DNA sequence: TAACAGTCAATACC
DNA sequence: GGTATTGACTGTTA
C-alpha cells in the first residue's frame, strides 16, 4: 500500500517491531490542532506521538483507501465493533461520517490533507497489534458507564459527557426545565419530500449549477428556503461527484473485489426511503433517477425564455446541451479519468451554455432534453442499455424513463435488494454508459447521445 | 464569493 | 442497536 520510498512507511501488514506502539497505534490525538473533540473518548489519545497526525499525513505516500476501508470494515464486523465506537475512539468522527467513509472512500489523490487524515488513522489503527483489544476495552468502559447512568448511579462526573450523551442535556428532566441552553436553539431538521427531491433532481439534470434566479424560483415553488435549495445542490453535486469517483474506483478494481464490495457503494446520493425501493429498478446514479412524467414539478423557466420563440428554440437548445455535455466529457476523458457526468467537468460547459438551459422543468422539451436523456431508463444492462444510434430523434422521442408504464414491474425490495448479480449488471451498465460516452466524445458524435 | 471538502447529527432503515 | 442517508454547517480554495 505504501511505496517503499515513503518517508512514513505504513502497511496493512501489522509490524510490531518497527513502530512505537502508541505513536503508530492509537496514540494519536484525533484533534491535534485543538479542534472539536469527543469528550469521554480521549483515553486512548495520549499525545505521545512526536509526529502530529498532520505531519504523518503530509509525509505519507499514497494509501489505498479502498483497501484500508475494506480491511477496517472486516475487522470491525469480525469483532463485532461498531462504527460509532471506532469513529469516536479512533478517528474522532461521528458514526455517520464513519459510515460514509467506509462505504464510499474517495481515492487518495482526490483527498485533501484533512480528508486523508482518517485514512491514515485507520491505517495506523490497522497496524496496531492491539487495536481490537483496545476497542473492546473501550466498549466495556462504555457499557459500564451506560449501566451506571441507566440505573441511576450516574454522578455528574465524566460519564455524562460521553459521546452517546454529549449532544443531549444531562437528563430529560433538566431539558424540560429549560436548563439546557441548546434545547431551544435546535432547529428541526428539514426533510424533503419525495416530490421535492424529484423536482430538485430534475432541475439538477437541467442545470447542475443553477443561477440565483433559478434557485429562488425553485425555492418558492417548492416552498423551501433558498438556503435549503442551495445546500441541496451543493450536497447533490458533491455526492454525485463522489459516487462517480467510487464508480471509477470500482472500474479499476478486479472482478473479485467487485463481488466482495459493499452493496451500499452502488447507491446513488439520492437514495432515501422511497428511492431505495426504486433502486431495485435502477442501480446507479443515472438510472436511479425516478423521472415520472406525472410528477408535479415547479415551473422553472428563466425570464429570457419568455422573450424567445420556444418552439423553434427548443430543439436548438437541446442540441446545444448535447454539444456542451460532449465537450465536458471529452475534456474529462483526457485528464483525470473521471466520469463524463462529473458535475465539475460539467460546470464549464454548463456555464458556457447557461443561456441554453432555459427549459421548463415540466415542459415536453425538458422531458426529452439530453440532460434527462442521461438518466438512462432503468433497464438491466443485459438488455442493451444504451444505443448511440437510437432511432428516435430527440424532438420526437419519448423518454422511456419518463414513462411509468415502461418501468419494469415493481418487485419487493427485499427480494433482490442485495443481489450481487443485479449489482454487477448495474455496474456493467454504468461502465457501458461511461465508455460509450467517452467513445462518442472522442468521435465527436455530439448528436447521437440519446439513451 | 461561489463552490468545494469534510463533517455533524437527525433520522430512516435494517 | 447498528448502519446508511442526508440537510446543514464550517472552513478552505480558486
Amino acid at each position: 500500500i505504501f511505496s517503499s520510498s515513503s518517508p512514513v512507511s505504513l502497511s496493512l501488514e501489522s509490524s510490531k517491531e518497527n513502530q512505537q506502539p502508541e505513536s503508530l497505534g492509537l496514540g494519536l490525538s484525533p484533534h491535534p490542532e485543538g479542534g472539536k473533540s469527543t469528550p469521554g473518548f480521549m483515553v486512548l489519545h495520549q499525545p505521545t506521538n512526536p509526529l502530529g497526525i498532520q505531519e504523518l499525513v503530509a509525509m505519507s505516500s499514497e494509501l489505498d483507501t479502498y483497501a484500508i476501508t475494506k480491511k477496517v470494515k472486516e475487522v470491525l464486523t469480525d469483532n463485532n465493533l461498531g462504527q460509532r465506537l471506532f469513529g469516536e475512539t479512533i478517528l474522532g468522527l461521528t458514526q455517520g461520517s464513519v459510515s460514509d467513509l467506509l462505504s464510499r472512500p474517495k481515492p487518495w489523490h482526490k483527498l485533501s490533507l484533512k480528508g486523508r487524515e482518517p485514512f491514515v488513522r485507520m491505517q495506523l489503527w490497522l497496524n496496531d497489534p492491539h487495536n481490537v483489544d483496545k476497542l473492546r476495552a473501550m466498549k466495556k468502559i462504555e457499557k459500564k458507564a451506560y449501566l451506571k447512568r441507566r440505573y441511576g448511579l450516574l454522578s455528574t462526573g465524566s460519564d455524562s459527557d460521553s459521546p452517546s450523551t454529549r449532544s443531549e442535556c444531562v437528563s430529560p428532566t433538566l431539558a424540560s426545565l429549560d436548563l439546557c441552553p441548546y434545547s431551544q436553539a435546535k432547529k428541526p431538521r428539514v426533510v424533503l419530500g419525495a416530490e421535492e427531491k424529484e423536482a430538485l433532481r430534475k432541475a439538477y439534470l437541467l442545470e447542475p449549477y443553477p443561477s440565483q434566479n433559478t434557485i429562488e424560483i425553485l425555492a418558492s415553488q417548492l416552498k423551501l428556503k433558498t438556503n435549503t435549495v442551495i445546500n441541496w445542490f451543493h450536497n447533490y453535486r458533491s455526492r454525485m461527484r463522489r459516487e462517480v469517483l467510487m464508480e471509477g474506483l470500482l472500474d479499476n478494481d478486479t472482478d473479485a473485489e467487485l463481488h466482495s464490495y459493499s452493496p451500499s457503494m452502488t447507491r446513488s446520493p439520492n437514495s432515501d426511503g422511497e428511492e431505495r425501493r426504486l433502486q431495485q429498478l435502477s442501480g446507479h446514479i443515472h438510472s436511479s433517477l425516478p423521472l415520472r412524467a406525472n410528477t408535479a414539478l415547479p415551473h422553472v423557466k428563466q425570464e429570457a425564455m419568455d422573450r424567445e420563440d420556444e418552439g423553434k428554440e427548443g430543439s436548438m437548445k437541446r442540441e446545444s446541451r448535447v454539444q456542451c455535455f460532449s465537450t465536458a466529457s471529452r475534456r474529462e476523458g483526457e485528464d483525470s479519468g473521471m466520469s463524463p457526468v462529473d458535475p465539475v467537468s460539467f460546470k464549464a460547459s454548463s456555464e458556457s451554455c447557461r443561456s441554453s438551459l432555459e427549459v421548463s422543468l415540466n415542459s415536453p422539451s425538458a422531458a426529452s432534453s439530453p440532460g434527462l436523456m442521461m438518466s438512462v431508463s432503468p433497464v438491466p444492462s443485459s438488455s442493451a442499455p444504451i444505443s448511440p444510434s437510437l432511432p428516435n430523434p430527440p424532438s420526437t422521442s419519448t423518454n422511456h424513463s419518463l414513462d411509468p408504464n415502461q418501468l419494469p414491474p415493481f418487485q419487493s425490495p427485499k427480494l433482490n435488494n442485495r443481489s450481487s448479480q443485479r449489482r454487477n449488471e448495474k455496474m456493467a451498465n454504468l461502465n457501458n454508459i461511461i465508455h460509450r460516452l467517452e467513445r462518442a466524445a472522442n468521435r465527436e458524435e455530439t448528436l447521437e447521445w440519446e439513451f
Side-chain angles (χ1 to χ4, degrees):
Chain A
I1 289 180
F2 284 86
S3 72
S4 55
S5 60
S6 168
V8 177
S9 180
L10 304 175
S11 163
L12 271 181
E13 303 297 324
S14 177
S15 54
K16 293 181 186 176
E17 55 282 335
N18 67 352
Q19 61 177 263
Q20 308 158 33
E22 282 303 307
S23 63
L24 290 183
L26 297 169
L28 296 165
S29 163
H31 307 287
E33 66 273 38
K36 203 172 165 186
S37 66
T38 8
F41 279 81
M42 305 304 291
V43 186
L44 297 175
H45 301 298
Q46 303 310 316
T48 54
N49 184 28
L51 279 179
I53 185 70
Q54 286 174 327
E55 280 82 3
L56 279 175
V57 172
M59 291 166 68
S60 160
S61 63
E62 184 169 343
L63 283 173
D64 184 345
T65 55
Y66 167 62
I68 290 174
T69 53
K70 191 170 169 235
K71 182 73 186 164
V72 167
K73 276 190 288 190
E74 212 176 284
V75 175
L76 292 181
T77 49
D78 286 354
N79 295 282
N80 199 23
L81 297 165
Q83 292 178 350
R84 188 190 59 79
L85 181 71
F86 175 72
E88 289 172 345
T89 310
I90 307 303
L91 305 179
L93 298 175
T94 57
Q95 178 271 322
S97 302
V98 174
S99 168
D100 222 25
L101 278 179
L102 292 183
S103 57
R104 280 177 289 267
K106 276 190 183 177
W108 181 259
H109 68 279
K110 292 284 177 186
L111 290 164
S112 67
L113 276 180
K114 188 161 189 281
R116 289 173 178 178
E117 208 179 293
F119 293 100
V120 171
R121 286 185 192 283
M122 286 185 219
Q123 181 64 75
L124 292 172
W125 181 74
L126 287 171
N127 287 350
D128 182 357
H130 305 297
N131 53 8
V132 170
D133 297 337
K134 288 175 180 173
L135 263 193
R136 281 195 185 130
M138 281 308 296
K139 198 176 179 181
K140 272 188 184 171
I141 294 171
E142 251 208 324
K143 197 169 184 181
K144 266 189 182 175
Y146 168 76
L147 290 173
K148 266 191 181 180
R149 283 195 303 273
R150 167 125 196 169
Y151 296 105
L153 298 174
L154 173 68
S155 67
T156 51
S158 58
D159 283 345
S160 60
D161 58 0
S162 72
S164 55
T165 56
R166 72 182 185 281
S167 61
E168 303 162 5
C169 297
V170 173
S171 76
T173 319
L174 287 181
S176 66
L177 292 174
D178 273 341
L179 293 178
C180 177
Y182 305 106
S183 60
Q184 292 188 330
K186 265 191 178 176
K187 282 192 291 184
R189 182 188 173 91
V190 173
V191 180
L192 299 178
E195 300 221 326
E196 288 163 330
K197 283 183 189 171
E198 199 169 323
L200 286 166
R201 249 176 262 129
K202 286 184 181 179
Y204 172 88
L205 285 172
L206 294 168
E207 211 177 334
Y209 293 83
S211 65
Q212 187 64 34
N213 190 32
T214 307
I215 286 172
E216 278 165 18
I217 294 169
L218 268 172
S220 73
Q221 300 224 3
L222 294 171
K223 296 187 173 60
L224 298 170
K225 290 196 299 181
T226 53
N227 261 354
T228 299
V229 175
I230 290 170
N231 283 335
W232 187 91
F233 272 89
H234 283 163
N235 285 326
Y236 197 80
R237 281 197 299 262
S238 169
R239 284 158 187 162
M240 226 17 153
R241 198 177 300 114
R242 191 172 56 173
E243 201 78 9
V244 166
L245 286 175
M246 277 303 298
E247 306 289 2
L249 213 162
L250 265 188
D251 211 16
N252 295 330
D253 220 333
T254 64
D255 285 345
E257 291 292 334
L258 182 70
H259 287 292
S260 67
Y261 201 58
S262 159
S264 66
M265 60 191 296
T266 57
R267 286 189 181 166
S268 77
N270 53 353
S271 41
D272 59 21
E274 178 228 4
E275 289 150 10
R276 274 176 208 137
R277 292 191 290 278
L278 288 168
Q279 286 175 3
Q280 317 314 312
L281 312 173
S282 55
H284 64 74
I285 195 162
H286 314 294
S287 58
S288 68
L289 298 170
L291 301 175
R292 290 191 297 271
N294 57 352
T295 304
L297 281 173
H299 186 79
V300 178
K301 191 188 288 186
Q302 297 190 357
E303 287 175 12
M305 187 67 166
D306 299 331
R307 296 191 296 271
E308 292 173 356
D309 180 351
E310 287 191 43
K312 217 166 63 179
E313 292 290 310
S315 61
M316 285 181 63
K317 283 169 184 170
R318 286 193 294 275
E319 275 191 26
S320 174
R321 282 179 55 77
V322 178
Q323 183 75 47
C324 291
F325 222 110
S326 166
T327 309
S329 48
R330 191 179 308 124
R331 191 165 57 85
E332 275 304 315
E334 282 168 2
D335 60 47
S336 65
M338 283 169 68
S339 158
V341 292
D342 171 35
V344 174
S345 59
F346 185 88
K347 184 184 179 195
S349 54
S350 166
E351 284 179 342
S352 66
C353 302
R354 180 151 287 166
S355 62
S356 70
L357 295 178
E358 298 148 358
V359 183
S360 165
L361 273 179
N362 55 0
S363 70
S365 60
S368 59
S369 76
L372 294 179
M373 294 296 182
M374 292 303 294
S375 60
V376 183
S377 56
V379 292
S381 60
S382 55
S383 57
I386 322 161
S387 169
S389 52
L390 267 175
N392 296 338
S395 55
T396 57
S397 69
T398 304
N399 190 325
H400 291 203
S401 62
L402 286 168
D403 184 354
N405 297 322
Q406 305 232 3
L407 291 171
F410 186 79
Q411 296 173 358
S412 165
K414 290 183 180 173
L415 287 179
N416 56 359
N417 196 21
R418 301 284 181 245
S419 157
S420 63
Q421 185 183 351
R422 181 170 280 272
R423 203 161 60 236
N424 293 340
E425 285 176 0
K426 290 168 188 169
M427 289 309 301
N429 193 8
L430 174 65
N431 291 335
N432 197 344
I433 293 165
I434 292 172
H435 291 146
R436 281 171 184 275
L437 283 168
E438 286 171 351
R439 275 213 311 275
N442 290 334
R443 293 199 302 267
E444 298 189 329
E445 292 171 355
T446 57
L447 296 179
E448 294 182 18
W449 292 14
E450 196 172 317
F451 308 108

